[in-house]
Amino acid sequence: MSAILGNTGRATLNALYAASTVCVLMVDTLNWMIWQPLRGKGLRVRSVVEHFVEFGVRSMPIVGLICGLIGVIMALQAAHTLEKWGAAALIADLVGISALRELAPLMTAILITGRCGSAITAEIGTMKVAEEIDALNVMGLNPTKFLVVPKFLAMLLAVPCVTVLAMLIMILGGAFAGVVLVGVDPVVYYNQTAGALTRMDLLSGLTKSFFFAVTICWVGVFRGFRVSGGAEGVGRETTSSVVTSILIIIIVDLVWTSLFFSQ
Amino acid sequence: MENDTDNIIEVRDLVVKYGDRTVLDGINLDVKRGEVFVILGGSGCGKSTLLRNLVGLMRPYSGQILFNGRDFTKMNDEERVETRKKMGMCFQGSALFNSMTVGDNVALALREHTDLEASTIDIMTKIKLELVGLGGFESFMPAELSGGMMKRAGLARAMAMDPHIIFYDEPSAGLDPIVGAGLDMLIRKMQSTFNLTSVVVTHEMESVKLIADRIVMLDKGKVIGLGTLEEIKNIDHPFIEQFFARRPDAEGEDTAAYLESLTNSE
């Protein structure tokens, strides 16, 4: 009995500690991202651009490939059912709305988590193990300003940008399958897509991608700063960074979908 | 606001705890301007913890650390940054930023803290690297250097802002005796050339003999001796005697004491 109480208590304390650490990190990041630059303590723009290239541009090939293929798969799966009803043209509606509202933001976020969220944890974790974070502190350089803010800004820019391209490629993938493999008339397919999609679909997907970006970066950074105990610690936190990040992304997705689905 | 007393650092009644465990228990010491001050003690005696407190990487449980007469532990962030510009630290594993070249490592603090022209910073970087015998290595990555060279590069980086004081964490650890001695000479050279105060954490007696002006000897979180090497040697204390005689603990005593120190909360 006391063991159960003890474990519950310890788990609660750990969770509260983690939550407080994340909050401190958030406040510190916003401080160095907005308030301090306004006071003339500059942003590291070059570092932001470098990270944007890494998180955004370099993610494009894999995100594009996977989202294109998912578009094809979705169209083929939908064709199987819709053709029975003579409604093959509705493939365009299904692929378009799914891509914009759900699959493009989600797939992009999951892929960028795997590519970059883990890299953020590994980078910060390795720096911590090698005392490089201490070195920054002793040199009077704030690790948040130096390491976190550029990644955070780059992620906020990169994820929505990649998401928009992923949406486009997914719709093109669906169109390829619909037109070439299923045999829907291209003009009909285009008109169906254009008629089905609304500004709200795009907004819903982009809002999600913004929150996914926040999640990927903060989980990555938080896990990175938690690393202790050498190379093994880096590996452990990197793995759990990806798992935690994907879990939170799905939960955020659920919350936003339930808020948006009727609109 | 600077108080130019003889002491650059004064530590008053410093207590540091990890959880319930007291690691440093009422430390008092002064570091005089321009001396090489060695923090000496066995493994796990709290000397690295003391160093981490002196440079502000840890906050003490109680007590004061006065840097140029001002309490470092009570400063706000901006004052701490200003103070830190006057400090340099050489880490045990050198802690060079692995993603940057050696030159960028040295130039970083200058780029971030000063408005100097890029060309001036380049020249200053070259001078600092020349100073530690690494002229021409600006474009090398840290991973391309040997252990001794990395420590030298770490020293060049610590010297970048022309600090008043420099802290060394186990400078000769993991180096062969020749390279280690070279580093000791370098520490001495920095002191004599720039009248640079140095605080060195070490447990290597050979190095202590070469560099130390004064020594503080720690055991189990307490100061057991403070003075020159000769004065320390003459102190009648079982640990000091054992340390200088390089005599091992009786079998098992060491680990038993360590376990006890872990479990004993107060």
Side-chain angles (χ1 to χ4, degrees):
Chain A
M1 186 61 199
S2 67
I4 297 172
L5 281 175
N7 286 334
T8 316
R10 206 168 293 125
T12 315
L13 283 178
N14 284 343
L16 284 176
Y17 178 73
S20 71
T21 317
V22 171
C23 288
V24 169
L25 195 64
M26 282 184 192
V27 173
D28 209 26
T29 309
L30 293 177
N31 174 33
W32 282 100
M33 196 166 77
I34 299 164
W35 176 236
Q36 298 290 351
L38 288 177
R39 294 176 61 209
K41 301 201 171 179
L43 280 169
R44 297 176 54 79
V45 179
R46 207 177 133 211
S47 183
V48 175
V49 174
E50 282 169 4
H51 280 102
F52 178 79
V53 170
E54 179 57 36
F55 297 161
V57 180
R58 301 228 168 97
S59 297
M60 263 328 288
I62 186 69
V63 173
L65 178 66
I66 289 186
C67 287
L69 292 177
I70 287 183
V72 173
I73 294 167
M74 251 197 307
L76 291 177
Q77 292 281 13
H80 178 72
T81 309
L82 291 174
E83 271 186 326
K84 287 185 198 158
W85 305 88
L90 287 180
I91 294 172
D93 300 49
L94 187 137
V95 171
I97 293 173
S98 312
L100 257 59
R101 280 187 172 250
E102 187 59 56
L103 284 173
L106 188 65
M107 288 314 298
T108 307
I110 288 177
L111 288 169
I112 292 186
T113 301
R115 256 194 104 252
C116 310
S118 55
I120 291 174
T121 307
E123 182 190 332
I124 293 179
T126 311
M127 288 186 77
K128 199 174 166 208
V129 170
E131 294 183 305
E132 289 178 37
I133 305 277
D134 289 344
L136 280 177
N137 273 317
V138 173
M139 289 163 79
L141 303 172
N142 186 296
T144 308
K145 175 191 175 189
F146 207 79
L147 295 173
V148 181
V149 170
K151 292 181 174 58
F152 191 66
L153 276 176
M155 196 62 95
L156 283 187
L157 292 172
V159 176
C161 288
V162 177
T163 301
V164 170
L165 285 164
M167 289 169 174
L168 191 69
I169 294 173
M170 207 177 264
I171 290 174
L172 288 176
F176 168 79
V179 172
V180 178
L181 304 177
V182 182
V184 181
D185 181 67
V187 178
V188 173
Y189 196 99
Y190 174 81
N191 287 336
Q192 276 291 339
T193 307
L197 298 181
T198 64
R199 203 170 292 163
M200 201 59 208
D201 297 328
L202 184 66
L203 191 67
S204 159
L206 283 180
T207 314
K208 279 180 183 176
S209 77
F210 177 81
F211 285 95
F212 293 162
V214 175
T215 307
I216 297 169
C217 196
W218 260 327
V219 172
V221 168
F222 169 69
R223 289 286 179 179
F225 278 114
R226 255 177 54 136
V227 166
S228 60
E232 191 201 337
V234 176
R236 194 171 48 231
E237 291 295 338
T238 305
T239 312
S240 90
S241 156
V242 174
V243 176
T244 316
S245 188
I246 291 180
L247 177 68
I248 296 178
I249 284 171
I250 302 282
I251 293 171
V252 170
D253 192 14
L254 177 69
V255 171
W256 279 101
T257 306
S258 56
L259 287 177
F260 270 112
F261 86 108
S262 57
Q263 300 185 20
Chain B
M1 283 287 287
E2 252 176 50
N3 181 352
D4 276 329
T5 55
D6 283 346
N7 298 330
I8 188 162
I9 289 182
E10 298 170 26
V11 177
R12 297 282 169 264
D13 303 317
L14 185 74
V15 178
V16 177
K17 296 187 176 196
Y18 285 130
D20 291 334
R21 194 159 60 93
T22 306
V23 184
L24 292 177
D25 191 3
I27 302 284
N28 282 292
L29 55 86
D30 301 321
V31 179
K32 294 194 170 72
R33 216 170 280 281
E35 71 175 348
V36 177
F37 185 83
V38 172
I39 302 173
L40 193 61
S43 306
C45 70
K47 55 189 192 303
S48 292
T49 307
L50 176 57
L51 189 73
R52 290 177 72 80
N53 275 279
L54 291 181
V55 297
L57 285 173
M58 282 175 70
R59 298 241 177 181
Y61 177 78
S62 65
Q64 290 181 308
I65 298 167
L66 303 176
F67 186 83
N68 280 329
R70 301 190 55 212
D71 193 346
F72 193 45
T73 58
K74 295 203 172 60
M75 290 180 185
N76 65 31
D77 285 348
E78 269 163 47
E79 290 171 323
R80 283 164 86 86
V81 169
E82 284 308 308
T83 308
R84 276 174 164 160
K85 289 181 190 170
K86 297 172 199 142
M87 299 179 166
M89 177 154 177
C90 292
F91 287 85
Q92 193 172 349
S94 86
L96 293 171
F97 303 117
N98 272 310
S99 56
M100 299 180 189
T101 63
V102 172
D104 286 340
N105 263 283
V106 179
L108 183 66
L110 294 166
R111 287 188 188 137
E112 294 294 319
H113 288 315
T114 67
D115 297 323
L116 297 171
E117 300 265 338
S119 55
T120 316
I121 291 180
D122 277 349
I123 294 167
M124 288 177 76
T125 306
K126 283 200 173 75
I127 293 173
K128 301 295 174 190
L129 282 170
E130 291 283 349
L131 202 63
V132 298
L134 283 178
F137 282 88
E138 291 89 343
S139 57
F140 279 59
M141 296 305 279
E144 295 170 310
L145 302 182
S146 70
M149 288 158 96
M150 280 167 85
K151 293 223 170 162
R152 282 167 181 268
L155 176 56
R157 183 177 70 181
M159 292 288 294
M161 294 287 291
D162 295 321
H164 296 180
I165 184 166
I166 199 151
F167 298 88
Y168 300 86
D169 190 5
E170 307 260 2
S172 42
L175 301 177
D176 70 57
I178 300 168
V179 177
L183 215 65
D184 288 341
M185 295 314 294
L186 201 56
I187 293 174
R188 210 60 244 192
K189 180 177 134 191
M190 293 298 156
Q191 191 274 335
S192 56
T193 318
F194 303 103
N195 194 29
L196 185 66
T197 316
S198 310
V199 175
V200 186
V201 163
T202 188
H203 54 240
E204 302 206 12
M205 282 314 298
E206 291 308 314
S207 149
V208 173
K209 283 176 198 157
L210 274 173
I211 59 175
D213 288 321
R214 285 196 314 140
I215 298 167
V216 64
M217 188 98 188
L218 297 182
D219 183 37
K220 299 194 179 82
K222 289 196 163 85
V223 174
I224 54 171
L226 183 64
T228 63
L229 183 60
E230 286 311 310
E231 286 166 355
I232 296 273
K233 275 181 178 166
N234 292 330
I235 295 173
D236 186 22
H237 187 285
F239 178 77
I240 295 180
E241 196 194 322
Q242 188 187 358
F243 194 90
F244 283 93
R246 212 167 172 275
R247 200 175 64 237
D249 277 323
E251 192 82 30
E253 192 183 314
D254 191 16
T255 43
Y258 182 67
L259 281 178
E260 195 187 319
S261 78
L262 286 180
T263 47
N264 244 1
S265 45
E266 197 47 273

